[in-house]
Amino acid sequence: MAKMDKKPQEGKPANKKPAAQDVAAQLELKPGQSIELLKALHILTREGKLNQDSRRKLKQVYHLYQFIEPLLGELSKNEQAVTLADHGAGKSYLGFILYDLYFKALGRGKIYGIETRAPLVETSQKLAAELHFDRMEFLNMSVAESTRADFMPERFDVVTALHACDTATDDAIAFGIEKKAKAMVLVPCCQAEVAACLRQTKALSLTRTPLAELWRHPIHTREMGSQITNVLRCLYLEACGYQVTVTELVGWEHSMKNELIVARYTGHKKRASAERLRQLLAEFGLSGLAALRYPHLPAETPSTEQGAEAAVLEA
């Protein structure tokens, strides 16, 4: 009796791996982007499937890339080799995708991933070697330590920090200023330092000003601290010669930590921003943070009356 070929039953599709073009369309991949890299980063499973958490992370990285890519294009003109520091790199999703989409084809430039968790650094080093991403380097150190490391380049063109926690974003800004970065692209996360200061001085503030009602309740303290932190960061960047734009990274359904700060160096240091920063520190009882977080603020300008008195004394 002749054997009959087995066919898939109707209504039960064969278990096939998704075609590469289907996966690319589903993920909205850029031309030439490596699906194998996404699998190695565990954004995709071996079968090419994507879970919801990975989709959110990938969406954030893609949106951030859209802000960074024009800066890289501008800075890499005239055969310049752009250096980029990715602070709080974690699993280095951002660094690897930046390299895959931009640095690999460009043939020059280098990415440094800075991360405090040694196992993540080791994994990233191994993956970069396997993919022959030769112009990627991963360092097991804090952002603050990387600023002081004498083996690092004296200057960096771009500084990024995607969800670098609490004061790591401040450290990334300090790194950018020290390294004379031409651009910084920052997505802050878990800003706790200012909220802690507001808690300590809450009773005094409530007796001094009705504005303290804005952070009387614990949840408001946390949110107000986060808002003040980012406002102070923007003023500091402006005072240090950067033009600052603040916007959303992605829709709120993808991330609650969604504020994106893009700073481009112009050399125009705004004294008004420095003065506003000092006024806000005084208003919220945060003056103790000035030397620690804002060491590059321009010198305080004397008031009109003080200036007039100084002129009389000099005469």
Side-chain angles (χ1 to χ4, degrees):
M1 192 171 178
K3 290 183 179 179
M4 296 180 66
D5 294 335
K6 291 185 179 180
K7 296 181 180 179
Q9 295 181 16
E10 291 185 12
K12 292 185 178 179
N15 185 18
K16 293 182 183 178
K17 289 185 179 180
Q21 60 267 30
D22 294 337
V23 174
Q26 180 190 9
L27 299 180
E28 301 175 1
L29 299 188
K30 313 295 181 188
Q33 186 169 5
S34 170
I35 290 177
E36 293 308 313
L37 169 63
L38 299 182
K39 289 180 181 179
L41 291 172
H42 304 293
I43 292 173
L44 288 178
T45 65
R46 291 180 182 177
E47 292 76 30
K49 294 181 180 178
L50 180 74
N51 64 44
Q52 199 59 33
D53 286 340
S54 294
R55 181 185 292 277
R56 281 194 291 269
K57 188 68 175 179
L58 196 58
K59 192 116 183 156
Q60 293 170 42
V61 172
Y62 278 166
H63 275 257
L64 199 55
Y65 174 78
Q66 290 176 359
F67 286 94
I68 296 172
E69 190 272 337
L71 297 171
L72 293 174
E74 185 179 315
L75 295 171
S76 62
K77 289 178 180 177
N78 304 321
E79 303 298 315
Q80 183 175 340
V82 176
T83 51
L84 181 144
D86 179 22
H87 288 299
K91 296 179 180 178
S92 294
Y93 290 157
L94 176 60
F96 277 112
I97 288 174
L98 278 170
Y99 195 98
D100 188 44
L101 291 177
Y102 192 86
F103 284 79
K104 184 170 67 176
L106 188 66
R108 61 181 184 275
K110 189 168 183 177
I111 294 176
Y112 291 80
I114 315 297
E115 172 56 48
T116 57
R117 290 165 287 182
L120 296 183
V121 172
E122 291 169 8
T123 300
S124 295
Q125 289 170 337
K126 182 180 177 183
L127 180 56
E130 290 172 355
L131 295 170
H132 303 292
F133 285 9
D134 301 325
R135 287 171 285 110
M136 293 191 80
E137 187 169 340
F138 299 93
L139 303 170
N140 180 206
M141 58 178 60
S142 69
V143 183
E145 288 169 339
S146 70
T147 306
R148 299 188 296 269
D150 56 9
F151 58 84
M152 294 282 277
E154 289 186 9
R155 295 196 175 196
F156 274 80
D157 296 296
V158 182
V159 172
T160 68
L162 174 57
H163 293 159
C165 255
D166 196 15
T167 58
T169 299
D170 298 293
D171 292 336
I173 290 172
F175 178 96
I177 293 170
E178 288 286 342
K179 299 294 185 179
K180 298 179 173 57
K182 297 181 177 70
M184 298 190 220
V185 184
L186 312 163
V187 182
C189 182
C190 305
Q191 302 93 315
E193 184 179 53
V194 167
C197 294
L198 292 177
R199 265 185 231 106
Q200 291 172 359
T201 60
K202 190 179 294 186
L204 178 61
S205 297
L206 282 166
T207 62
R208 188 173 58 85
T209 172
L211 286 176
E213 291 294 336
L214 294 172
W215 66 92
R216 177 160 64 95
H217 298 288
I219 188 171
H220 293 159
T221 305
R222 184 186 68 201
E223 296 303 318
M224 191 69 177
S226 177
Q227 180 75 357
I228 293 169
T229 300
N230 288 340
V231 169
L232 293 173
R233 286 167 173 165
C234 293
L235 288 171
Y236 184 46
L237 285 164
E238 289 177 344
C240 291
Y242 288 84
Q243 180 184 26
V244 176
T245 302
V246 185
T247 186
E248 290 181 1
L249 176 61
V250 288
W252 290 105
E253 70 275 14
H254 296 291
S255 174
M256 292 302 291
K257 298 297 181 182
N258 202 32
E259 188 168 333
L260 171 64
I261 301 171
V262 180
R264 303 181 61 164
Y265 188 73
T266 64
H268 176 57
K269 298 183 179 183
K270 294 184 178 179
R271 286 194 173 274
S273 295
E275 294 305 316
R276 281 295 175 91
L277 193 156
R278 289 190 179 93
Q279 289 166 2
L280 286 177
L281 290 175
E283 180 67 28
F284 290 103
L286 302 170
S287 296
L289 294 177
L292 176 65
R293 295 290 166 216
Y294 316 110
H296 295 284
L297 274 182
E300 199 167 356
T301 53
S303 66
T304 305
E305 290 182 5
Q306 289 174 328
E309 290 174 4
V312 169
L313 288 172
E314 286 178 4

